[in-house]
Amino acid sequence: MRVLVIGADNFVGRPVLEALTRTDWATPLMLSETAGFDAAVETADSIVNCTMGRPDDITEAAQKLFSAATRLSRPPPVVHMSSMTVYGSVRGTVDENAATPAGGGAYAQAQLAADRLAALYPQAIRLRTGVEYGPGCQQWSGLIADCLAQGRLGDLGSGGDGICNLLFIDDLVTAILESLRRPQLGGRVFNLAMAAPPTWNEYFNAFGKALGAVPIRRISRRRLSAEVKYLAPPLKIAQMLKLPLPPPITPSLVSACRQEICLDSSAAEVQLGVRWTVLGVGLERAAAWWKADRRR
Amino acid sequence: MMLDASELPTGKTLTADLCIVGAGAAGITLALQLIDSGLEVLVLESGGLKPEAATQALYSGSVREARLHSPPDRYRQRRFGGTSTIWGGRCMPFDPIDFEPREFMPHSGWPLSRAELLPFYRRANRLAEAGEFEYQAGPALGASCRPMIRNFDSPHFTSDTLERFSCPTDFGARYGHKLAAAANVTVVLHANVVRIQLAREGGQVESLDVRTLDGKSFTARARQFVIASGGLENARLLLASRDVQSAGIGNSNDLVGRFYMCHLAGTIGAITINKPLQDVYHGYEVDADGIYCRQRLALREEVQREQGIGNFIARLHHPRITDPAHRNSILSLLYLAKPIIPYEYSVRLHGGAKSDFATWLKHVRNVATAPFDAFRFATHMVRDRFLAERKFPSIIMRSRANLFSLDFHAEQQPNPLSRVTLSEQLDPLGMPRIHVDWRYTAIDVDTVKRSLALLAADLSQSGVGRFEYDPDSIEEEVTRYGAYGGHHIGTVRMGTGPRDSVVDSNGRVHGVHNLYVAGSAIFPTSSQANPTLTVIAMALRLAEHLGGELRRPQPAVLMRETA
């Protein structure tokens, strides 16, 4: 089976590509190796869309993919990586039938637009991912580890009572491969996050200990809002300019840490056979990766 | 959901599965456990989100001997979060011996064991933001733990146990957002429960009468009720509800309000350790979770049994602040800062001693002689206490001469003559005010006397130092500030039957099937430990019990009565 991986150069696409290479049933294809987008889509037996990054890139990739695939006489199965941000600011346990309200930030809107395009394509399996962590995951492991080591994140008090719907990177890769092997599930949606996830405070506490960044610091509400208000804007610019400055603690991170949303991913366990990596194991691997990565 | 009683129409009846009276450490803990339980939970809180003088004044009352007990509106807060808005955060569990009936301690023994409470203690520690439930210095702190006094092997005391410190967590500020967001919980602010209305035959609560200070009144009905309004107020509310049971609810054997305990505490004597400075450490350690922990000298359980005395702990402490002879600029700075230190803390820092201008000048001189030390200390207090959310718990002052005083905290025996009653005076809502008659006994003083003597003997026999104090001053010292403020224990005691207790092991009032009491009022004995952690653990245990009770199918007759 020839599997086209869109977004093969990011932290999800890379391990998906590697995992596909190791199988005896798939031959991975990348966009850059081929002449054009439409041609690549036409060549593939199956497609994985794990485009990430800027909102425009996410919507654009989805538009191009689904319009090209729809035009084909036998539209190929697509595994589309979506995000839990499509559920908006809802509270409580959320399964795949929950509403996906419009609104939210540019990133959430882009994910929702892409998710809705995928919904119109009967051969697409949508995977709504939680918080990806593990080796290679800069956003939720690398930058968090930086902030923990700098004493800028830790115990956020009531600001960290939200649920951290962690998804270990290996579990995501497994889910994508298992989806590829089950084209009959086209049209289905699966939430992907570990069962019984920790709160953000618990995540920061356990990850801080795995990193050896102890004692865990209590970050006062006053300090956190000062970070977001005064430090985040210049640090964000520095990050975009790739200057060697600490990462920003963004308003979106702070609001995620408060959101008490719990993804119900039991359907993925049953239908895709995914088993969640134990948190302690995942955090140890994330910590080992971070230490090696920052030494480089 | 959170709403204000002023938004409700007068005469309204609020209904729920469970009604909790009081949103302090106990009430909030209970309500938190029942979020998303499928049960409708109503929390009635007298105060608002901020302190208000008129509401707080509902707590005022009288005291038999003012010297022995603070005014009843001190050391407790009538507002959302309750007294957790001002507590000091010291956490430690009760010891196994505290739960046992002890022959030498009249009226001792709990109707449950410490082992039964242990799983709830673990969760209580988390809720109080005091880290792991690990109270042994070695396992909690590992290699970083410095011994309190190196090579001090005391046959009577252990220095291996810890006290841990909560932020101190204000339960309202910390967890209010969860209650406000919960669809099945309704918190009503400014709702004062003035009477518990029993059904005519007395076996169950029908409703609560609720009033606001601006003259509204309404009713709360529920299947189960929990009174969680504090160690003094719980007794007041039971006693004041006397239209069906004329002596007050649960008071047919005249037990409500009796057995009132606080703790005996004080600072005494001079301890000199003749060892190098680095061999003594009496300050705070920080564990991996960032929790402040401190070692203490705890009287061993076997020694309590052998000596026939109560529970007792002590800490090395700085010399008395008020006497400028200590020549310590920082202690003098604290003396001068008295006006900006909250009453609840300044009492013990400064004592009742009258200050005169000459003393004040001497303290100014102390500060002036070492202004840099004072400045450094002030910076530490601003950064690590005033601005920090996890606050440095107390003032630690190191004497270069290895000189200390001894700070102690001792159990009080349950004494039926120590009690709170209703006075003739009424508050603006028409409720009788409280009258406090706190007493201590010879057993209480003996616990302190013999513990201090054992410690003095152990220090000199081990050769590490000496402890000099005036044994004749002990009674004066334990009564210098009167009952330890804020620890209101025993007024609605727990036991196995109505002859010697008011509530059963779950906190249910004997003979009233749907009325429970939560908080330190139900503790039969007082331990050496500060009560808050145990209040939270018992509330967690009650939440589990109530969750089960409320989910059980109801007998048809009760359904009709409560409908």
Side-chain angles (χ1 to χ4, degrees):
Chain A
M1 184 199 292
R2 285 160 299 172
V3 181
L4 172 66
V5 181
I6 304 171
D9 54 348
N10 66 39
F11 73 91
V12 179
R14 262 193 313 273
V16 166
L17 214 59
E18 283 166 24
L20 287 171
T21 312
R22 284 196 300 272
T23 67
D24 55 6
W25 50 266
T27 311
L29 304 174
M30 286 168 67
L31 276 177
S32 54
E33 290 169 5
T34 55
F37 192 93
D38 289 6
V41 169
E42 204 174 333
T43 327
D45 300 314
S46 293
I47 300 167
V48 178
N49 177 23
C50 41
T51 311
M52 302 186 120
R54 293 184 305 135
D56 290 350
D57 295 344
I58 292 167
T59 31
E60 199 186 303
Q63 275 161 359
K64 277 166 70 180
L65 166 61
F66 292 115
S67 66
T70 310
R71 283 197 299 270
L72 297 174
S73 54
R74 287 182 55 195
V78 171
V79 178
H80 172 77
M81 208 177 97
S82 179
S83 159
M84 66 178 279
T85 57
V86 301
Y87 296 119
S89 57
V90 67
R91 181 187 166 276
T93 302
V94 167
D95 68 12
E96 291 83 352
N97 299 317
T100 54
Y107 177 78
Q109 285 181 34
Q111 285 289 5
L112 183 58
D115 189 282
R116 287 184 176 168
L117 285 173
L120 299 172
Y121 183 81
Q123 292 79 11
I125 298 176
R126 283 169 286 160
L127 302 178
R128 290 179 180 155
T129 62
V131 173
E132 303 97 350
Y133 79 108
C137 302
Q138 282 298 347
Q139 189 181 4
W140 300 115
S141 287
L143 301 182
I144 296 288
D146 290 342
C147 292
L148 286 166
Q150 292 154 4
R152 293 165 61 214
L153 282 179
D155 171 6
L156 306 188
S158 57
D161 279 344
I163 305 295
C164 184
N165 293 280
L166 289 172
L167 171 60
F168 191 58
I169 185 70
D170 291 10
D171 301 345
L172 172 55
V173 172
T174 305
I176 290 173
L177 264 64
E178 293 303 323
S179 300
L180 284 169
R181 303 185 68 166
R182 292 168 172 77
Q184 71 276 16
L185 295 177
R188 292 288 305 268
V189 192
F190 296 101
N191 288 339
L192 292 181
M194 66 182 287
T199 65
W200 283 89
N201 280 336
E202 287 164 348
Y203 171 48
F204 293 149
N205 183 292
F207 195 27
K209 286 177 181 168
L211 295 163
V214 291
I216 304 297
R217 294 265 290 268
R218 172 70 167 225
I219 310 298
S220 71
R221 195 182 314 193
R222 196 186 295 118
R223 185 184 158 148
L224 202 60
S225 57
E227 272 265 6
V228 170
K229 215 166 166 183
Y230 304 113
L231 270 181
L235 289 178
K236 186 79 197 169
I237 293 167
Q239 193 182 43
M240 282 168 3
L241 297 173
K242 298 199 171 12
L243 298 177
L245 284 177
I249 293 176
T250 58
S252 60
L253 171 62
V254 170
S255 61
C257 289
R258 289 178 174 276
Q259 193 183 357
E260 294 191 38
I261 175 176
C262 183
L263 285 194
D264 175 355
S265 307
S266 48
E269 293 174 31
V270 176
Q271 303 283 336
L272 302 176
V274 185
R275 294 287 168 271
W276 313 110
T277 300
V278 173
L279 182 61
V281 173
L283 291 178
E284 284 303 327
R285 290 207 25 218
W289 163 77
W290 178 79
K291 285 174 191 167
D293 187 68
R294 292 303 186 262
R295 266 201 297 276
R296 281 198 295 277
Chain B
M1 181 180 19
M2 202 174 277
L3 49 93
D4 199 289
S6 63
E7 298 161 19
L8 298 170
T10 203
K12 187 176 171 67
T13 299
L14 299 172
T15 55
D17 293 307
L18 173 68
C19 177
I20 300 168
V21 180
I28 289 176
T29 296
L30 253 171
L32 279 177
Q33 303 315 303
L34 296 170
I35 289 177
D36 295 340
S37 63
L39 301 168
E40 285 299 321
V41 179
L42 173 66
V43 182
L44 300 174
E45 167 53 46
S46 161
L49 297 176
K50 298 216 155 70
E52 293 150 16
T55 301
Q56 183 66 17
L58 296 170
Y59 267 163
S60 38
S62 51
V63 173
R64 183 183 64 97
E65 200 171 343
R67 180 180 72 85
L68 287 182
H69 196 284
S70 52
D73 60 341
R74 295 291 194 172
Y75 293 99
R76 51 188 194 136
Q77 291 289 300
R78 199 165 167 127
R79 56 180 281 207
F80 187 66
T83 307
S84 78
T85 56
I86 60 162
W87 72 309
R90 185 176 276 128
C91 290
M92 88 262 328
F94 277 35
D95 300 311
I97 193 173
D98 297 320
F99 295 82
E100 298 167 10
R102 291 162 282 168
E103 271 172 32
F104 52 89
M105 184 63 73
H107 310 288
S108 61
W110 287 44
L112 69 153
S113 69
R114 156 126 165 190
E116 283 172 72
L117 202 51
L118 193 60
F120 303 101
Y121 265 139
R122 296 186 194 288
R123 288 163 52 199
N125 234 61
R126 288 270 171 222
L127 216 48
E129 301 187 289
E132 301 281 343
F133 186 81
E134 178 51 80
Y135 283 84
Q136 295 288 313
L141 298 165
S144 73
C145 178
R146 289 162 275 194
M148 188 179 193
I149 304 170
R150 197 177 292 281
N151 300 329
F152 176 43
D153 294 318
S154 164
H156 301 109
F157 289 85
T158 168
S159 59
D160 196 35
T161 60
L162 290 178
E163 44 196 40
R164 291 174 158 271
F165 284 80
S166 169
C167 283
T169 299
D170 167 346
F171 276 57
R174 177 66 184 80
Y175 299 114
H177 74 101
K178 293 181 92 82
L179 300 185
N184 68 318
V185 177
T186 306
V187 179
V188 185
L189 300 173
H190 297 116
N192 299 281
V193 174
V194 295
R195 197 170 56 118
I196 303 166
Q197 180 63 59
L198 288 186
R200 206 166 308 140
E201 85 335 313
Q204 78 168 21
V205 176
E206 235 169 39
S207 61
L208 303 176
D209 290 354
V210 191
R211 300 224 178 113
T212 66
L213 278 172
D214 57 11
K216 283 193 173 162
S217 60
F218 55 97
T219 306
R221 287 179 182 271
R223 290 159 58 198
Q224 305 276 7
F225 297 84
V226 178
I227 311 300
S229 53
L232 298 178
E233 210 60 13
N234 285 345
R236 181 184 175 203
L237 192 52
L238 291 177
L239 289 172
S241 304
R242 46 196 168 186
D243 53 341
V244 174
Q245 297 182 357
S246 60
I249 296 174
N251 198 33
S252 51
N253 290 315
D254 189 20
L255 294 168
V256 175
R258 292 190 182 271
F259 299 96
Y260 174 40
M261 295 163 276
C262 301
H263 284 105
L264 286 193
T267 307
I268 196 166
I271 292 184
T272 315
I273 307 291
N274 40 28
K275 284 187 148 274
L277 278 177
Q278 69 269 19
D279 282 0
V280 187
Y281 186 72
H282 78 308
Y284 293 97
E285 305 273 10
V286 176
D287 77 358
D289 291 309
I291 312 297
Y292 291 109
C293 302
R294 193 179 182 195
Q295 284 164 279
R296 57 234 295 271
L297 293 160
L299 190 65
R300 295 178 192 272
E301 295 199 349
E302 63 272 21
V303 180
Q304 293 174 44
R305 285 196 194 92
E306 185 186 288
Q307 298 278 332
I309 55 177
N311 211 336
F312 175 96
I313 64 100
R315 297 173 280 262
L316 296 182
H317 197 62
H318 56 70
R320 193 183 296 286
I321 289 177
T322 39
D323 183 358
H326 52 60
R327 306 289 293 266
N328 182 310
S329 65
I330 297 166
L331 295 179
S332 287
L333 185 71
L334 286 169
Y335 179 89
L336 299 172
K338 181 177 179 175
I340 61 164
I341 296 174
Y343 167 88
E344 279 75 7
Y345 296 94
S346 71
V347 169
R348 272 179 194 273
L349 275 180
H350 299 281
K354 287 263 184 305
S355 57
D356 54 46
F357 186 63
T359 310
W360 189 83
L361 264 186
K362 282 180 192 160
H363 283 289
V364 171
R365 190 190 60 196
N366 284 351
V367 173
T369 50
F372 189 67
D373 281 359
F375 177 75
R376 209 168 41 193
F377 174 77
T379 313
H380 152 67
M381 287 314 271
V382 168
R383 187 192 56 212
D384 299 328
R385 191 168 169 92
F386 292 108
L387 293 179
E389 253 174 38
R390 184 167 287 289
K391 296 188 184 302
F392 194 82
S394 71
I395 290 140
I396 295 295
M397 208 61 57
R398 191 59 203 265
S399 145
R400 300 205 177 280
N402 257 349
L403 279 174
F404 303 91
S405 62
L406 193 81
D407 197 24
F408 61 84
H409 200 248
E411 177 172 16
Q412 257 208 293
Q413 86 161 97
N415 170 16
L417 298 179
S418 177
R419 65 187 299 200
V420 298
T421 50
L422 299 181
S423 80
E424 300 294 312
Q425 308 240 316
L426 300 181
D427 74 11
L429 298 172
M431 236 184 125
R433 291 195 184 275
I434 204 163
H435 177 71
V436 177
D437 181 0
W438 175 79
R439 299 186 188 213
Y440 62 96
T441 67
I443 292 183
D444 299 343
V445 178
D446 195 46
T447 292
V448 177
K449 266 191 179 155
R450 299 195 21 216
S451 300
L452 293 179
L454 291 170
L455 183 62
D458 286 358
L459 280 167
S460 84
Q461 272 159 31
S462 68
V464 300
R466 61 180 192 279
F467 175 28
E468 292 165 317
Y469 65 99
D470 175 9
D472 296 330
S473 74
I474 289 173
E475 188 157 351
E476 184 197 328
E477 188 51 51
V478 298
T479 57
R480 180 188 294 276
Y481 315 115
Y484 196 89
H487 301 179
H488 307 130
I489 303 169
T491 54
V492 187
R493 70 194 326 257
M494 178 168 50
T496 47
R499 264 165 51 96
D500 54 7
S501 64
V502 184
V503 299
D504 70 11
S505 63
N506 289 313
R508 189 198 319 240
V509 175
H510 296 306
V512 186
H513 79 88
N514 64 345
L515 178 62
Y516 292 80
V517 178
S520 52
I522 68 173
F523 299 179
T525 57
S526 57
S527 176
Q528 46 71 24
N530 298 41
T532 306
L533 185 69
T534 306
V535 167
I536 299 164
M538 289 293 289
L540 289 169
R541 183 170 171 274
L542 176 57
E544 200 163 285
H545 170 78
L546 283 171
E549 286 286 290
L550 285 160
R551 280 191 198 90
R552 261 216 308 250
Q554 282 199 335
V557 58
L558 292 182
M559 294 279 273
R560 265 204 312 280
E561 282 174 12
T562 51

